[in-house]
Amino acid sequence: MLRYSIVITALFGCVPDSHVDEPLTLDEFVSQATTDDGSGVWVVNGDEPIETMDAMVDTYWRYRRTYDRAHGIGTTEQESIVNRVNGQDDVYSASQAQNLTYCINKSSFSSSEYNALVTAMNSATGAWESAAGGGVNFIHDVAADSSCRKNAAFFTIKRVCTGQYLARAFFPSSRQKEILVDCSSFSNISPWTLAGVMRHELGHTIGLRHEHTRPESGTCFEDNNWRALTSYDAASVMHYPQCNGSNNGDLNLTAADKAGVAALY
């Protein structure tokens, strides 16, 4: 069994703990989530940002309310999954979903990294757009890349070098809409590719949660603040492989991933 974990060491991480009889304390919860990527936010669950202490405390108590002392994991009555905020799906309006503009902070990447990221984003955005049947539309504002700062586009992409994750993103309800790509993502991360990492992160940007928070995974529980879109999918692009995931290759959209985003948008 695994205890609930906040993972900051890598994008795909679940930290085993043999002590499953007690949940994390608030201090433990916060200390494990601290990040030094310069953004002023915490990172929980591997690649999800928490922007304020109030939000951190709220996240902690949602975890505590759904902690199963007998098994050290969460329980839920719901069955791929969309984030929920205040009882509502965390998604964009139809008009906003058609105008998901982004810029890449060109000055923060080397020339080769920038070119690789442009190619990876073209592949990743195309995958989600196709799956959503035209319901979402990502637009690369190339002209804004040279001055890609906050509010230069709907969301920004910037290079960091923390070693805490391969990349981290945001949910539609997040105030800071940016994707941070760690320098380690441009090294050999086989069997994954940079495009695969971006497919995973873009899933978050349109509201999708980690598939492994569902009880069927048996580990890596996060919280129950989600709604089912499909049946459980261990091979999902949103499932960490080491959280009992079945995908041993690159992070590609499965049939269930495609059905889920089609139902959502």
Coordinates of all heavy atoms in Angstrom, one line a residue, residues 99-162:
N99 N -10.3 29.6 -28.2 CA -9.3 30.7 -28.3 C -8.2 30.5 -27.3 O -7.9 31.5 -26.5 CB -10.0 32.1 -28.2 CG -9.1 33.2 -28.6 OD1 -8.4 33.1 -29.5 ND2 -9.2 34.3 -27.9
L100 N -7.7 29.3 -27.2 CA -6.6 29.0 -26.2 C -5.3 29.4 -26.8 O -4.5 28.6 -27.2 CB -6.7 27.6 -25.8 CG -8.0 27.1 -25.2 CD1 -8.0 25.6 -24.9 CD2 -8.3 27.9 -23.9
T101 N -5.0 30.7 -26.8 CA -3.8 31.2 -27.4 C -2.6 31.0 -26.4 O -2.8 31.1 -25.2 CB -3.8 32.7 -27.7 OG1 -4.1 33.5 -26.5 CG2 -5.0 33.0 -28.7
Y102 N -1.4 30.8 -26.9 CA -0.3 30.6 -26.0 C 1.0 31.2 -26.7 O 1.0 31.3 -28.0 CB 0.0 29.2 -25.6 CG 0.4 28.2 -26.8 CD1 1.7 28.0 -27.1 CD2 -0.6 27.6 -27.5 CE1 2.1 27.2 -28.1 CE2 -0.3 26.7 -28.6 CZ 1.1 26.5 -28.9 OH 1.4 25.7 -29.9
C103 N 1.9 31.6 -25.9 CA 3.2 32.0 -26.4 C 4.3 31.3 -25.7 O 4.1 30.8 -24.6 CB 3.4 33.5 -26.3 SG 3.4 34.2 -24.7
I104 N 5.4 31.1 -26.3 CA 6.6 30.4 -25.8 C 7.7 31.5 -25.5 O 8.1 32.2 -26.4 CB 7.1 29.3 -26.7 CG1 6.0 28.3 -27.0 CG2 8.4 28.7 -26.2 CD1 6.4 27.3 -28.1
N105 N 8.1 31.6 -24.2 CA 9.1 32.5 -23.8 C 10.4 32.2 -24.5 O 11.2 31.5 -23.9 CB 9.2 32.6 -22.3 CG 10.0 33.8 -21.8 OD1 11.0 34.1 -22.4 ND2 9.6 34.4 -20.8
K106 N 10.6 32.7 -25.7 CA 11.7 32.3 -26.5 C 13.1 32.5 -25.8 O 14.0 31.8 -26.0 CB 11.7 33.0 -27.9 CG 12.6 32.4 -28.9 CD 12.3 33.0 -30.3 CE 13.1 32.3 -31.4 NZ 12.7 32.9 -32.7
S107 N 13.2 33.6 -25.1 CA 14.4 34.0 -24.5 C 14.9 33.0 -23.4 O 16.0 33.0 -23.0 CB 14.4 35.4 -23.9 OG 13.4 35.5 -22.9
S108 N 13.9 32.3 -22.8 CA 14.3 31.4 -21.7 C 14.7 30.0 -22.2 O 15.2 29.2 -21.5 CB 13.1 31.2 -20.8 OG 12.0 30.5 -21.5
F109 N 14.6 29.7 -23.5 CA 15.0 28.5 -24.1 C 16.2 28.7 -25.1 O 16.4 29.8 -25.7 CB 13.9 27.8 -25.0 CG 12.7 27.5 -24.2 CD1 11.6 28.3 -24.0 CD2 12.6 26.2 -23.6 CE1 10.5 28.0 -23.3 CE2 11.5 25.8 -22.8 CZ 10.4 26.7 -22.7
S110 N 17.0 27.7 -25.2 CA 18.1 27.7 -26.3 C 17.3 27.6 -27.6 O 16.2 27.2 -27.7 CB 19.1 26.6 -26.1 OG 18.5 25.3 -26.4
S111 N 18.0 27.9 -28.7 CA 17.4 27.8 -30.0 C 16.9 26.4 -30.3 O 15.8 26.2 -30.8 CB 18.4 28.2 -31.1 OG 17.9 28.1 -32.4
S112 N 17.8 25.4 -30.0 CA 17.3 24.0 -30.2 C 16.2 23.6 -29.4 O 15.3 22.8 -29.8 CB 18.5 23.0 -30.0 OG 19.0 23.1 -28.7
E113 N 16.2 24.0 -28.1 CA 15.1 23.7 -27.2 C 13.8 24.3 -27.7 O 12.7 23.7 -27.7 CB 15.4 24.2 -25.8 CG 16.5 23.4 -25.1 CD 16.9 24.0 -23.7 OE1 16.6 25.2 -23.5 OE2 17.4 23.3 -22.9
Y114 N 13.9 25.6 -28.1 CA 12.7 26.3 -28.6 C 12.1 25.5 -29.8 O 10.9 25.3 -29.9 CB 13.0 27.7 -29.0 CG 11.9 28.5 -29.7 CD1 10.9 29.0 -29.0 CD2 11.9 28.6 -31.1 CE1 9.9 29.7 -29.6 CE2 10.9 29.3 -31.7 CZ 9.9 29.8 -31.0 OH 8.9 30.5 -31.7
N115 N 12.9 25.2 -30.8 CA 12.5 24.5 -31.9 C 11.8 23.1 -31.6 O 10.8 22.7 -32.1 CB 13.6 24.3 -32.9 CG 14.1 25.6 -33.6 OD1 13.3 26.5 -33.6 ND2 15.3 25.6 -34.0
A116 N 12.4 22.4 -30.6 CA 11.9 21.1 -30.2 C 10.6 21.3 -29.5 O 9.6 20.5 -29.7 CB 12.9 20.5 -29.2
L117 N 10.4 22.4 -28.7 CA 9.2 22.6 -28.0 C 8.1 23.0 -29.0 O 6.9 22.6 -28.8 CB 9.4 23.7 -26.9 CG 8.2 24.0 -26.0 CD1 7.7 22.7 -25.3 CD2 8.5 25.1 -25.0
V118 N 8.4 23.8 -30.0 CA 7.4 24.2 -31.0 C 6.8 23.0 -31.6 O 5.6 22.8 -31.8 CB 8.0 25.2 -32.0 CG1 7.0 25.3 -33.2 CG2 8.2 26.5 -31.4
T119 N 7.7 22.1 -32.0 CA 7.3 20.8 -32.7 C 6.5 19.9 -31.7 O 5.4 19.4 -32.1 CB 8.5 20.0 -33.1 OG1 9.3 20.8 -34.1 CG2 8.1 18.7 -33.8
A120 N 6.9 19.8 -30.5 CA 6.2 19.0 -29.5 C 4.8 19.6 -29.2 O 3.8 18.9 -29.1 CB 7.0 19.0 -28.2
M121 N 4.7 20.9 -29.1 CA 3.4 21.6 -28.9 C 2.5 21.4 -30.1 O 1.2 21.2 -29.9 CB 3.6 23.0 -28.5 CG 4.0 23.3 -27.1 SD 2.7 22.8 -25.9 CE 1.5 24.0 -26.2
N122 N 3.0 21.5 -31.3 CA 2.1 21.3 -32.5 C 1.5 19.9 -32.4 O 0.3 19.7 -32.7 CB 3.0 21.4 -33.7 CG 3.3 22.9 -34.0 OD1 2.6 23.8 -33.5 ND2 4.3 23.1 -34.8
S123 N 2.3 18.9 -32.0 CA 1.9 17.5 -31.9 C 0.8 17.3 -30.8 O -0.2 16.7 -31.0 CB 3.0 16.6 -31.7 OG 2.6 15.2 -31.5
A124 N 1.2 17.9 -29.6 CA 0.3 17.7 -28.5 C -1.0 18.5 -28.6 O -2.1 17.9 -28.3 CB 1.0 18.2 -27.2
T125 N -1.0 19.7 -29.1 CA -2.3 20.4 -29.3 C -3.1 19.8 -30.3 O -4.3 19.7 -30.2 CB -2.0 21.9 -29.7 OG1 -1.2 22.0 -30.9 CG2 -1.3 22.6 -28.6
G126 N -2.5 19.3 -31.4 CA -3.2 18.6 -32.5 C -3.9 17.4 -31.9 O -5.1 17.1 -32.4
A127 N -3.3 16.6 -31.0 CA -3.9 15.4 -30.5 C -5.2 15.7 -29.7 O -6.2 15.1 -29.9 CB -2.9 14.7 -29.6
W128 N -5.1 16.7 -28.9 CA -6.3 17.1 -28.1 C -7.4 17.7 -28.9 O -8.6 17.5 -28.7 CB -5.9 18.0 -26.9 CG -5.2 17.3 -25.8 CD1 -3.9 17.5 -25.4 CD2 -5.8 16.4 -24.9 NE1 -3.7 16.7 -24.3 CE2 -4.8 16.0 -24.0 CE3 -7.1 15.8 -24.8 CZ2 -5.0 15.0 -23.0 CZ3 -7.3 14.8 -23.8 CH2 -6.3 14.5 -22.9
E129 N -7.0 18.6 -29.9 CA -8.0 19.2 -30.8 C -8.7 18.2 -31.6 O -10.0 18.2 -31.7 CB -7.3 20.2 -31.7 CG -6.8 21.5 -31.0 CD -5.9 22.3 -31.9 OE1 -5.4 21.8 -33.0 OE2 -5.6 23.4 -31.5
S130 N -8.0 17.2 -32.1 CA -8.6 16.1 -32.8 C -9.6 15.3 -32.0 O -10.7 15.0 -32.4 CB -7.6 15.2 -33.5 OG -8.1 14.1 -34.1
A131 N -9.1 15.0 -30.8 CA -10.0 14.2 -29.8 C -11.2 14.9 -29.4 O -12.3 14.3 -29.3 CB -9.1 13.8 -28.6
A132 N -11.1 16.2 -29.3 CA -12.3 17.0 -28.9 C -13.2 17.3 -30.0 O -14.3 18.0 -29.8 CB -11.8 18.3 -28.2
G133 N -12.9 16.9 -31.2 CA -13.8 17.1 -32.4 C -14.0 18.5 -32.7 O -15.1 18.9 -33.1
G134 N -13.0 19.4 -32.5 CA -13.2 20.8 -32.8 C -13.7 21.6 -31.6 O -13.8 22.8 -31.7
G135 N -13.9 21.0 -30.4 CA -14.4 21.7 -29.2 C -13.3 22.5 -28.6 O -13.7 23.4 -27.8
V136 N -12.0 22.2 -28.8 CA -11.0 23.1 -28.2 C -10.0 23.5 -29.4 O -9.9 22.7 -30.3 CB -10.2 22.4 -27.1 CG1 -11.1 22.1 -25.9 CG2 -9.5 21.1 -27.6
N137 N -9.4 24.7 -29.3 CA -8.6 25.2 -30.3 C -7.4 25.9 -29.7 O -7.6 27.0 -29.1 CB -9.3 26.1 -31.2 CG -8.5 26.6 -32.4 OD1 -7.6 25.8 -32.9 ND2 -8.7 27.8 -32.9
F138 N -6.2 25.3 -29.7 CA -5.0 25.9 -29.2 C -4.4 26.7 -30.4 O -4.3 26.3 -31.5 CB -4.0 24.9 -28.8 CG -4.4 24.2 -27.5 CD1 -5.1 22.9 -27.6 CD2 -4.2 24.7 -26.3 CE1 -5.4 22.2 -26.5 CE2 -4.5 24.0 -25.1 CZ -5.2 22.8 -25.2
I139 N -3.9 28.0 -30.1 CA -3.4 28.8 -31.1 C -2.0 29.4 -30.6 O -1.9 30.1 -29.6 CB -4.3 30.0 -31.4 CG1 -5.7 29.6 -31.8 CG2 -3.7 31.0 -32.4 CD1 -6.7 30.7 -31.7
H140 N -0.9 29.0 -31.3 CA 0.4 29.5 -31.0 C 0.6 30.9 -31.6 O 0.6 31.1 -32.8 CB 1.5 28.6 -31.6 CG 2.9 29.0 -31.2 ND1 4.0 28.4 -31.8 CD2 3.3 29.9 -30.4 CE1 5.1 29.0 -31.4 NE2 4.7 29.9 -30.5
D141 N 0.7 31.9 -30.7 CA 0.9 33.3 -31.1 C 2.4 33.5 -31.2 O 3.0 34.0 -30.3 CB 0.3 34.2 -30.0 CG 0.3 35.7 -30.5 OD1 0.9 36.0 -31.5 OD2 -0.2 36.5 -29.7
V142 N 2.9 33.1 -32.4 CA 4.3 33.2 -32.6 C 4.9 34.6 -32.4 O 6.0 34.8 -31.9 CB 4.7 32.6 -34.0 CG1 6.2 32.7 -34.3 CG2 4.2 31.2 -34.2
A143 N 4.1 35.6 -32.8 CA 4.5 37.0 -32.8 C 4.8 37.4 -31.3 O 5.6 38.3 -31.1 CB 3.5 37.9 -33.4
A144 N 4.2 36.7 -30.4 CA 4.3 37.1 -29.0 C 5.5 36.4 -28.3 O 5.8 36.7 -27.1 CB 3.0 36.8 -28.2
D145 N 6.1 35.5 -29.0 CA 7.2 34.7 -28.4 C 8.4 35.5 -27.9 O 9.0 35.2 -26.9 CB 7.7 33.6 -29.3 CG 6.7 32.4 -29.5 OD1 5.7 32.4 -28.7 OD2 7.0 31.5 -30.3
S146 N 8.7 36.6 -28.6 CA 9.9 37.4 -28.2 C 9.6 38.2 -27.0 O 10.5 38.7 -26.3 CB 10.3 38.3 -29.4 OG 9.2 39.1 -29.7
S147 N 8.3 38.4 -26.6 CA 8.0 39.2 -25.4 C 6.9 38.5 -24.6 O 6.0 39.0 -24.1 CB 7.5 40.6 -25.8 OG 6.3 40.5 -26.7
C148 N 7.1 37.2 -24.5 CA 6.1 36.3 -23.9 C 6.2 36.4 -22.4 O 7.0 35.8 -21.7 CB 6.4 34.8 -24.3 SG 5.1 33.7 -23.7
R149 N 5.4 37.3 -21.8 CA 5.3 37.5 -20.4 C 3.8 37.3 -20.0 O 3.0 37.0 -20.8 CB 5.7 38.9 -20.0 CG 7.2 39.2 -20.4 CD 8.2 38.4 -19.5 NE 9.5 38.9 -19.7 CZ 10.3 38.4 -20.7 NH1 9.9 37.4 -21.5 NH2 11.6 38.8 -20.8
K150 N 3.5 37.5 -18.7 CA 2.2 37.3 -18.2 C 1.2 38.2 -19.0 O 1.5 39.4 -19.3 CB 2.1 37.7 -16.8 CG 0.8 37.5 -16.1 CD 0.8 37.9 -14.6 CE -0.5 37.7 -14.0 NZ -0.5 38.1 -12.5
N151 N 0.1 37.6 -19.5 CA -1.0 38.2 -20.2 C -0.6 38.5 -21.7 O -1.4 39.1 -22.4 CB -1.4 39.5 -19.6 CG -2.0 39.3 -18.2 OD1 -2.6 38.3 -17.9 ND2 -1.8 40.3 -17.3
A152 N 0.6 38.0 -22.1 CA 0.9 38.2 -23.5 C 0.0 37.3 -24.4 O -0.2 37.6 -25.6 CB 2.4 37.9 -23.8
A153 N -0.5 36.3 -23.8 CA -1.4 35.3 -24.5 C -2.3 34.7 -23.4 O -2.1 35.0 -22.2 CB -0.7 34.3 -25.3
F154 N -3.2 33.9 -23.7 CA -4.0 33.3 -22.7 C -3.2 32.5 -21.7 O -3.4 32.5 -20.5 CB -5.1 32.4 -23.4 CG -6.0 31.8 -22.4 CD1 -7.0 32.6 -21.7 CD2 -6.0 30.4 -22.0 CE1 -7.9 32.0 -20.8 CE2 -6.8 29.9 -21.1 CZ -7.8 30.7 -20.5
F155 N -2.2 31.8 -22.2 CA -1.2 31.2 -21.3 C 0.2 31.2 -21.9 O 0.3 31.4 -23.1 CB -1.6 29.7 -20.9 CG -1.5 28.7 -22.0 CD1 -0.4 27.9 -22.2 CD2 -2.6 28.4 -22.8 CE1 -0.3 26.9 -23.1 CE2 -2.6 27.4 -23.7 CZ -1.4 26.6 -23.9
T156 N 1.1 31.1 -21.1 CA 2.5 31.3 -21.4 C 3.3 30.0 -21.1 O 2.9 29.2 -20.3 CB 3.2 32.4 -20.7 OG1 3.2 32.2 -19.3 CG2 2.5 33.7 -21.0
I157 N 4.4 29.8 -21.8 CA 5.2 28.6 -21.6 C 6.7 29.1 -21.4 O 7.2 29.9 -22.2 CB 5.2 27.6 -22.8 CG1 3.8 27.2 -23.1 CG2 6.1 26.4 -22.5 CD1 3.7 26.3 -24.4
K158 N 7.3 28.7 -20.3 CA 8.6 29.2 -19.9 C 9.5 28.0 -19.4 O 9.0 27.0 -18.9 CB 8.4 30.2 -18.8 CG 9.7 30.9 -18.4 CD 9.5 32.0 -17.4 CE 9.0 31.4 -16.0 NZ 9.0 32.5 -15.0
R159 N 10.8 28.2 -19.6 CA 11.8 27.2 -19.2 C 12.2 27.4 -17.8 O 12.4 28.6 -17.4 CB 13.0 27.3 -20.1 CG 14.1 26.3 -19.8 CD 15.3 26.6 -20.7 NE 16.4 25.6 -20.7 CZ 17.4 25.6 -19.8 NH1 17.5 26.6 -18.9 NH2 18.3 24.7 -19.9
V160 N 12.3 26.4 -17.0 CA 12.9 26.4 -15.6 C 13.9 25.3 -15.5 O 13.9 24.4 -16.4 CB 11.8 26.3 -14.5 CG1 10.9 27.5 -14.5 CG2 11.0 25.0 -14.7
C161 N 14.6 25.3 -14.5 CA 15.6 24.2 -14.3 C 15.6 23.9 -12.8 O 16.5 24.3 -12.1 CB 17.0 24.7 -14.8 SG 18.0 23.3 -15.4
T162 N 14.6 23.2 -12.3 CA 14.5 22.8 -10.9 C 14.8 21.4 -10.6 O 15.2 21.0 -9.5 CB 13.1 23.1 -10.4 OG1 12.2 22.2 -10.9 CG2 12.6 24.5 -10.8

